[in-house]
Amino acid sequence: MAKAVPKLQAGDALLLVDVQNDFCPGGSLPIPGGDAVVPVLNRWIDAARQAGVPIYASRCWHPAEHVSFESREGPWPSHCLQNSPGADFHPDLRLPEDAVLITKGERFDRDQNSAFDDTGLAQRLRDDGVHRLYLGGLAEDVCVLASALDARREGFEVVLIDEATRPITPEGGLQARRRMREAGVVMGE
């Protein structure tokens, strides 16, 4: 049975990390069960809209031959190429038109796993009066982890929506949750 979404309030925001086709089944870098986060996040999107709290969505947006790709001796297969179907948000994700998009991973010299890495997101959140982030997306042990840790370093409260994220590996997920807990991320909404 799905968990109920808590009542969101002023100062809260929803941050969706990289819910893109390439990270879902059939994509070039599929996370096991990655598409299972979509209906959960849609419930949260509905709750955020009803409460009038902002929604932010990051996307991995790599140029061809990105430094993180195996073809360049990086750790990942080619994925989320700019303007490709794989870089599109999952088609069932009901992302509102007024969601704030955060583009990352477009640097040529290094990867940007965190939605906060060189994107200006922390300042945007402060400008928007956000204090607490509810966080979900893909992958739990890479980009969700990096975003949660950076959000905490920037002084935001962070709540992981545990039903709304999936790791690349079970071991990676356990390690990610341990690191997030140690950083003060609240688990289990």
Side-chain angles (χ1 to χ4, degrees):
M1 182 176 199
K3 292 181 183 178
V5 176
K7 183 163 175 41
L8 301 174
Q9 56 193 7
D12 290 342
L14 182 59
L15 175 58
L16 315 179
V17 176
D18 302 0
V19 186
Q20 295 167 269
N21 289 330
D22 271 348
F23 298 130
C24 293
S28 64
L29 185 53
I31 289 32
D35 56 346
V37 306
V38 173
V40 177
L41 289 173
N42 282 338
R43 287 197 327 268
W44 281 81
I45 289 168
D46 291 345
R49 304 265 308 156
Q50 288 175 2
V53 302
I55 299 168
Y56 305 84
S58 72
R59 65 179 179 176
C60 186
W61 195 248
H62 289 312
E65 299 302 315
H66 190 258
V67 69
S68 72
F69 295 167
E70 291 169 341
S71 62
R72 296 276 311 276
E73 300 184 10
W76 310 115
S78 178
H79 64 279
C80 297
L81 291 174
Q82 295 172 358
N83 300 307
S84 73
D88 290 343
F89 289 107
H90 190 283
D92 295 334
L93 186 68
R94 295 192 308 261
L95 199 60
E97 286 186 21
D98 63 348
V100 177
L101 299 184
I102 302 112
T103 300
K104 62 188 190 64
E106 60 187 343
R107 289 184 58 127
F108 291 101
D109 58 339
R110 64 180 176 83
D111 210 355
Q112 295 165 276
N113 291 324
S114 170
F116 290 84
D117 185 357
D118 225 5
T119 64
L121 178 58
Q123 188 59 52
R124 174 65 189 258
L125 293 170
R126 288 185 189 99
D127 290 348
D128 291 347
V130 173
H131 305 287
R132 178 172 49 193
L133 287 173
Y134 286 90
L135 176 64
L138 302 169
E140 181 178 16
D141 44 353
V142 183
C143 296
V144 170
L145 170 64
S147 298
L149 296 179
D150 279 355
R152 290 295 299 138
R153 275 192 279 281
E154 290 286 346
F156 297 99
E157 293 177 46
V158 179
V159 179
L160 182 71
I161 309 167
D162 63 357
E163 289 185 309
T165 187
R166 297 290 184 279
I168 295 172
T169 66
E171 301 79 23
L174 290 172
Q175 285 184 339
R177 287 185 184 228
R178 179 186 52 76
R179 290 183 63 194
M180 286 188 271
R181 269 192 300 275
E182 288 171 356
V185 174
V186 176
M187 299 286 163
E189 285 295 338

